[in-house]
Structure formats: structure tokens, C-alpha cells
Amino acid sequence: MSTSITERFNELFSEFEDCNEDEQKQKIPEINEIVDGMNMEEFESVFTKDLYDKMNKMIEEKKISIENTILLLKHVGYSRKLKNVINLYFDESSLSRRFEQMIIEEEKKKERKIEKLLADLCECYLLLNKWGSSKLFSICVPCLLKAALHKEGKKETQKEVEIALLALSCIYELFKMEQELFLDKITEIIKYHQEHHNLTPLAHQCAWKFLIDRLHKNKSLEEVIVNELHFSREAARELEELTRNVNWKKKEGEEMNKEEANEVLVIRRWIKTLEIYFLYCRLHNEEFTELFGFIVQIYGAAKDNHSVISNQCIYSLRNAAENRVVKVEDLLKGGAVDAVLEEIQRQTLDEVIVYKCLQFFKNVSERLKEEDEDEKKKVKRKSSKMEIFEKLEEEGYEDTITSFNETLNICNIRHYRALSLKFSDYLVNI
């Protein structure tokens, strides 16, 4: 009978207490390999509060060094984020509190401060915690931005930068932080990459995610994001590059090579970041149409075999349709209307996707019903209305909406934003 992956981990970790520091260091790569092979359920069953508390006790009893603890936990945190494991146990552990205290104490040392140790502690703390403590952000953010700044493109260095930026991207979007803490350095990192291409695709995405996540609480960032750093253009270019190397015909869960799996991971993160961007950005730019085009292209490629990604594409387009700075013409030209129309007519839809699609068409319908004094805008709106009307009529959209009568009631009960029960709210009329 074969040993399960969790049993292999537990056996190997139990041997730690009887090993000296060098022997432990030799075992860590083997443990990391086991961690990489875990699925989400295995990960959550192994990395519990009890395990973290046990590690904390081992540190107290000098059975494991801080250096080896960091070596182990940094990889665990990195793997956790790539697997998208929602694991709250570290937050509750005595080890988390130890790391908090060590970060604060190391920062206080000033001249005697060990920069590498502080960065390692910050990375572990952010990668393993669900929320983290806002009081530590003023220490962790400058420290990790400094670690990521202007590093050359060597493989070892790229990995270090990737981990630092991944850790920063874990900071929850609703936490407010002062722009002085991050703006100059994150702008430098992105601009330097635009010129020198020194970041890995994941590191580049993480840098953008960190910045876009700050947008909700810092509206003044819009000018930098849109006009100085050209986010829409960069996101479109990155999505185009990433999608070239993915075989979209492989079904979800089917074995991919490592490079392909990494591309899919980064694409998912980009689409999720776009979802946040369209939710909070209030500054229009001419690059929206191209960006919608690539979201639609990914939706089309992923819809049959990668539902998680295709669903995220629909979520992003729904947010874009609700955003008042996005023009209906942008959605039309980028193919967003066609994609959501195609999705709402698919046979296998869950209620969340139905909800998002209906929200999309409700927002488009509302926008087209608005009155406008500007004659040029009136003409453009009338043209858009006619084009959308013809698309919907040709595809039998009204019958599709009518068939969702029961679904509308379910969505009203289960979702935080009630949908209108008036079918005319989802229709575009001439």
C-alpha cells in the first residue's frame, strides 16, 4: 500500500526534532518537493494551527533554527499562494505572533538591522497570513519594495524578486496605506521592467496587482496607472504573450507541463486583477477596446475546458459594463457584448454566471436608455443601440431572458445585489 503525500510529509517533519541544523537543511528541499505535490485539500490538512504552534515550540526549545524555519515556511507560503489555498490557521498560531514581534524588533534595530532577515520574515508573514496586521505594513512594504527594486534578470535573483512581489500582492485591497509608502518604488519597478524586462511574468503581474489593489483607497493613483504606466496596454500585451503558449484544448485538471501551468496561473491572476481594476477605476482611456479584445479572446479559448478562467472573464466584463467611464462602444468594439451573449445562452450555467450576465445586459441597457444633449454622442449611442439590438434579436436573446424567470428569483434571494424582476430592464429597444 502506497504512502499518502500527507503521511510522507508528517513522517519527514517528525524526523526534524532529532536532526541537527545542517541535517534539517538537507531535508528541506525534499519537504518542499512534497509540498509542491499537494492538492488544496492535502495542503489544508497538513498546515494546521497545531503544526505552526509545534514549530514555534521547536524554536523555543532550539530544535529548529529561525533560518531553517524561514527556508521551510517561505516555500510553504509561496506554494500556498500559487495553489490559491485559503488557509487561516497561521493567523491564529503562536508562530505568527512570534514573527510579528521579530519584524517589529528587527526594524527597531536601525543600524544593526539585518535587511535579509527582515525581508525573509516579512515575506513569510504576508504569504502565510490571510489578512495580516496593518501595523506591520509600514515595515513590510518599504522593505520588500527595496528587495525587488532594480534587480538584474539572473534566475536566482528573479526568484527572490518574484517572492517579494508575490508577498506584497497578498495585502488585501481594502487596507489603506499612504502613497508615500509605496508609489515611487512600485512605479520604478514597473517602469524598469518595461525597459529591461527583468521580471518573471508572475512577478510583473504581482507588481501590478499590488498597485491596482491600492486604487480603491487611493483614487489619485488613477493618473499614474492609466496615463503614466499605461496599465490597459501593458495588461493586453501581457495577456497576448501568455496565451500563445497555452494549449486550451486540455481539460481542467488534465496534466499540463510546468511552463503551461505557470502561464495559466498568471493569466488567471491577470483576469482577477482586471476585475478589480474595472470595479474601481474612474478614468477612461482609449486602450480599453484592445484590452476587452484580449479578455474576449481568452474567454473564447477557455470556455470549453477552463471554466474558472472563462468565468473570471465574464466577471471582469460585467464590472466593466457597470463602470461609468467605460463606453458602450468600447464594449461593442472589443467583442464584450458578443462574449456575454454567447455565455448566457450556454446550456450549463450556474446561477452566479447567470447573475453576472444579466447584470452586464442590465447595465448596457440602462446606459443606452440615457439621454444626451451632445448631438455627436446621440448619433453614436443610436448606432450602438441598433448594433446591439440586431445582435440580440438575431440570437433569440429575449427568449433566453424569459427562460430565466425562476433563476431571477433565486439570484434575488442569494446575491447581495438584487436583480430587477422587470424583463424590460435587460432588453435593448430601438
Side-chain angles (χ1 to χ4, degrees), residues 246-301:
V246 177
N247 178 3
W248 294 103
K249 293 180 181 179
K250 286 185 179 177
K251 294 187 176 180
E252 248 169 325
E254 190 176 336
E255 193 69 28
M256 288 184 172
N257 63 49
K258 191 172 181 181
E259 184 181 345
E260 212 171 19
N262 288 340
E263 306 279 301
V264 170
L265 167 77
V266 180
I267 289 168
R268 284 179 60 177
R269 290 178 61 91
W270 270 111
I271 300 295
K272 184 67 178 174
T273 299
L274 288 168
E275 192 181 335
I276 300 296
Y277 175 64
F278 290 129
L279 193 63
Y280 297 134
C281 184
R282 294 294 177 265
L283 191 61
H284 182 266
N285 71 87
E286 299 303 320
E287 295 157 352
F288 278 154
T289 301
E290 183 184 13
L291 184 53
F292 291 141
F294 283 108
I295 296 173
V296 168
Q297 182 181 320
I298 291 169
Y299 163 78

Side-chain angles (χ1 to χ4, degrees), residues 291-303 309-318 330-346 349 353 356-358 360-361 364 388 391-392 395 397:
L291 184 53
F292 291 141
F294 283 108
I295 296 173
V296 168
Q297 182 181 320
I298 291 169
Y299 163 78
K303 62 184 169 63
I309 291 179
S310 64
N311 287 353
Q312 284 182 317
C313 290
I314 297 298
Y315 299 166
S316 292
L317 296 176
R318 202 271 335 178
D330 297 330
L331 296 167
L332 260 175
K333 289 177 184 174
V337 174
D338 296 280
V340 182
L341 179 58
E342 181 180 351
E343 179 64 19
I344 204 171
Q345 293 179 306
R346 281 158 63 84
L349 288 178
I353 284 294
K356 299 290 185 181
C357 291
L358 289 171
F360 176 91
F361 283 112
V364 169
I388 293 176
K391 284 178 187 292
L392 301 185
E395 297 296 331
Y397 166 77

Side-chain angles (χ1 to χ4, degrees), residues 389-410:
F389 176 81
E390 288 175 353
K391 284 178 187 292
L392 301 185
E393 190 174 47
E394 185 179 340
E395 297 296 331
Y397 166 77
E398 190 167 343
D399 290 338
T400 303
I401 295 296
T402 305
S403 73
F404 287 135
N405 187 29
E406 189 176 331
T407 305
L408 280 170
N409 283 300
I410 291 171

Side-chain angles (χ1 to χ4, degrees), residues 5 8 17 47 95 132 164 257 299 347 352 380 403 407:
I5 198 164
R8 282 174 58 209
E17 293 187 63
F47 293 100
L95 186 57
N257 63 49
Y299 163 78
Q347 296 299 310
V352 176
K380 191 176 282 188
S403 73
T407 305

Side-chain angles (χ1 to χ4, degrees), residues 80-81 85-92 96 100 122 124-137 140 167-177 209 213-214:
R80 175 209 167 197
K81 293 309 298 181
V85 175
I86 301 169
N87 179 331
L88 306 182
Y89 309 122
F90 186 77
D91 306 57
E92 304 161 5
S96 176
E100 279 190 32
C122 290
C124 287
Y125 182 77
L126 293 178
L127 287 168
L128 290 167
N129 273 299
K130 171 63 175 174
W131 305 119
S133 170
S134 55
K135 70 181 179 182
L136 293 185
F137 293 159
C140 292
L168 285 169
S169 76
C170 297
I171 298 174
Y172 186 48
E173 70 198 64
L174 296 183
F175 277 129
K176 182 175 174 60
M177 61 178 74
K209 182 182 185 302
D213 281 353
R214 311 283 71 81

Side-chain angles (χ1 to χ4, degrees), residues 165-195:
L165 290 172
L166 180 64
L168 285 169
S169 76
C170 297
I171 298 174
Y172 186 48
E173 70 198 64
L174 296 183
F175 277 129
K176 182 175 174 60
M177 61 178 74
E178 297 302 318
Q179 286 186 196
E180 292 76 16
L181 202 62
F182 66 89
L183 185 56
D184 287 347
K185 283 192 172 61
I186 196 67
T187 302
E188 267 191 79
I189 287 168
I190 291 171
K191 282 185 172 180
Y192 191 83
H193 173 74
Q194 288 172 345
E195 186 176 348

